[in-house]
Amino acid sequence: MYLADRSKPTVEDTARRRGRRRVTSTVVALGTVSLLTDISSESLSAVLPLYLTVVLGLSPLAYGVIDGIYQGASALVRILGGWLSDRTDRPKWVAFIGYALSALTKLVLIPAQGFAAISAIVSVDRLGKGLRTAPRDALIATASDEASLGRSFGVHRALDTVGAAVGPLLAFGILWIVPGDYRSVFVASFAAALAGLVVLGLLVPDLRPRRDSAAARAAVTDAARPAPAPSVPRPSLRLMLRSPGLRRLVAAAAILGVLTVSDGFLYLSLQQRDSFAAQYFPLLFVGTNIAYFSLAVPLGHLSDRVGRPHVLVLGHVLLVAAYLCAAGPVGGLGTTILCLLFLGAFYAATDGVLAALTSTLVPTASRAVGIATTQTVVAISRFASSLLFGLLWVRVGRAPAVWVFAVALFVAVPVAWALVRNLRPAVEA
């Protein structure tokens, strides 16, 4: 059974929750954890290509395999992380294990030599990321008022993006002070990851989504006298997948994801078209992160006000605009900045908003695995997109390939809107 769309609060809800719209300290603490962890991971990824190919002497093919592991391995365990979180009703500690695995790999990387050892370490790092993502997002949803979910996820993603921008700057700063000392970067990366782990362990409360939800319903049912110990519902993957709202969201995410060109391809398109992007190529990553950071909170707040499906689809319209900037014949500073602005706005309108929207479509008992399901679909479809776009680039060239994806995404947006515009949240059992 489904009720009215809670992604856009009613007048009564607005009046009743007016005092509870602030982002909670738990969300800020989780954002700090992600900030520190992204400083760690992005400082490492900024130097890993040079370290592997120049210092260790691995071939470009070997690096390509390792990079593929880095990009895609986390998708293998996202649903497992969500399932463990829901099954144990301990999302904090499932996330803690994931963060701990990733932190340890930074330390183990220092003495590692050779393709097999590096591949194994990178695999464990990315599996840790996959394990922690859904439980972390479930904690954000549990700690937030439903009417301000978009803002909460926006704040978290904004802090996360600050770390993604600071990480490469930290790595290049260390190498500027001590040229060639990559192991100092690894030590700094481990220190940042360890700091994030400490913040998670000490400052993030051990929220129990299923237990707390059952207790809240019992309190509402019988507020006049003490209620008996509430029954805590168990997660059910079968019941969750029977939700028509979740199925429609997953379908829309798959359609849009397979038409989402990776950042790297768009940056290469800009670089091949004009000299500005070629000369300042590393700054393209920073530019997108600045746009993402600046817009994550405003667009998250907008999704709370007008409805999360609206902002999710709007994000992909902005992505079409980014494609047009990358494919068009006019280059230079202005076009490049517009492309980065549209790309950052796309992430700000979709990443946290998708998690917030998913959390309203599944019961609390299955929240983490529901979020993990949509995230896994997006990851797999974007992996397929990279293969398809790379093949198209080789066959027809850079600009025609981008134009094909732009037209296809433009056609897919109304289809996705038809799937998500009337989503109804699940009623708790």
Side-chain angles (χ1 to χ4, degrees):
M1 183 183 295
Y2 296 87
L3 299 177
D5 185 357
R6 290 183 293 178
S7 70
K8 189 162 73 173
T10 65
V11 174
E12 293 79 10
D13 287 338
T14 300
R16 180 169 52 88
R17 297 170 177 171
R18 184 169 295 167
R20 293 191 290 156
R21 282 180 173 272
R22 291 184 178 179
V23 173
T24 65
S25 59
T26 299
V27 173
V28 175
L30 287 167
T32 304
V33 173
S34 292
L35 185 153
L36 292 166
T37 303
D38 255 34
I39 290 176
S40 171
S41 61
E42 295 303 319
S43 63
L44 180 63
S45 63
V47 302
L48 202 58
L50 287 176
Y51 178 72
L52 295 180
T53 57
V54 176
V55 178
L56 297 187
L58 298 183
S59 68
L61 177 59
Y63 169 68
V65 173
I66 292 173
D67 184 62
I69 294 172
Y70 190 88
Q71 299 297 334
S74 66
L76 300 176
V77 294
R78 284 179 186 259
I79 292 180
L80 173 62
W83 182 84
L84 287 173
S85 172
D86 290 332
R87 192 70 177 176
T88 62
D89 201 27
R90 297 278 189 176
K92 170 181 173 176
W93 297 111
V94 176
F96 188 91
I97 293 171
Y99 280 108
L101 285 174
S102 294
L104 287 174
T105 60
K106 277 56 173 192
L107 199 59
V108 177
L109 193 62
I110 296 174
Q113 301 285 328
F115 172 78
I118 299 295
S119 298
I121 292 169
V122 170
S123 297
V124 173
D125 175 38
R126 294 295 90 185
L127 291 175
K129 175 179 174 59
L131 195 65
R132 70 184 182 242
T133 301
R136 179 204 65 204
D137 285 349
L139 282 171
I140 295 171
T142 301
S144 304
D145 183 68
E146 190 174 303
S148 58
L149 273 175
R151 179 188 290 180
S152 294
F153 277 99
V155 168
H156 175 269
R157 291 332 194 237
L159 290 170
D160 181 88
T161 306
V162 170
V166 171
L169 297 177
L170 173 65
F172 288 122
I174 292 173
L175 293 179
W176 181 72
I177 296 171
V178 280
D181 191 359
Y182 291 93
R183 284 173 172 79
S184 292
V185 177
F186 300 158
V187 171
S189 174
F190 172 71
L194 184 61
L197 200 61
V198 170
V199 172
L200 176 61
L202 298 182
L203 299 184
V204 176
D206 184 20
L207 300 180
R208 305 284 300 277
R210 287 193 286 119
R211 183 196 63 185
D212 296 346
S213 176
R217 292 198 308 276
V220 171
T221 302
D222 192 359
R225 65 179 187 276
S231 61
V232 179
R234 303 294 290 177
S236 173
L237 182 62
R238 179 180 60 84
L239 291 177
M240 184 197 72
L241 293 177
R242 287 173 59 185
S243 162
L246 182 64
R247 291 202 305 267
R248 285 158 55 194
L249 180 61
V250 165
I255 293 169
L256 297 172
V258 82
L259 297 172
T260 300
V261 178
S262 73
D263 301 357
F265 276 126
L266 288 181
Y267 298 154
L268 286 173
S269 180
L270 293 170
Q271 179 260 341
Q272 289 197 8
R273 186 184 60 191
D274 58 73
S275 59
F276 173 82
Q279 184 177 359
Y280 298 101
F281 188 82
L283 295 182
L284 301 180
F285 298 86
V286 179
T288 299
N289 284 331
I290 290 174
Y292 186 179
F293 165 74
S294 302
L295 296 170
V297 176
L299 287 175
H301 180 53
L302 179 65
S303 75
D304 294 330
R305 293 177 61 86
V306 305
R308 294 171 194 118
H310 296 75
V311 176
L312 181 69
V313 173
L314 170 65
H316 289 85
V317 175
L318 296 171
L319 183 60
V320 173
Y323 290 171
L324 298 180
C325 290
V330 179
L333 176 61
T335 306
T336 298
I337 291 177
L338 275 177
C339 183
L340 301 182
L341 175 62
F342 287 135
L343 186 59
F346 156 70
Y347 284 117
T350 57
D351 188 10
V353 172
L354 178 64
L357 179 58
T358 305
S359 70
T360 67
L361 298 178
V362 294
T364 301
S366 302
R367 177 179 285 159
V369 76
I371 293 173
T373 298
T374 55
Q375 290 174 339
T376 299
V377 168
V378 169
I380 293 174
S381 59
R382 289 184 181 176
F383 175 73
S385 170
S386 292
L387 296 179
L388 179 61
F389 185 82
L391 177 62
L392 198 60
W393 184 321
V394 171
R395 292 292 181 88
V396 302
R398 173 196 65 84
V402 180
W403 277 111
V404 167
F405 267 66
V407 172
L409 182 58
F410 182 79
V411 172
V413 162
V415 177
W417 172 243
L419 288 169
V420 303
R421 63 179 179 175
N422 292 319
L423 293 179
R424 299 289 185 269
V427 173
E428 298 291 343

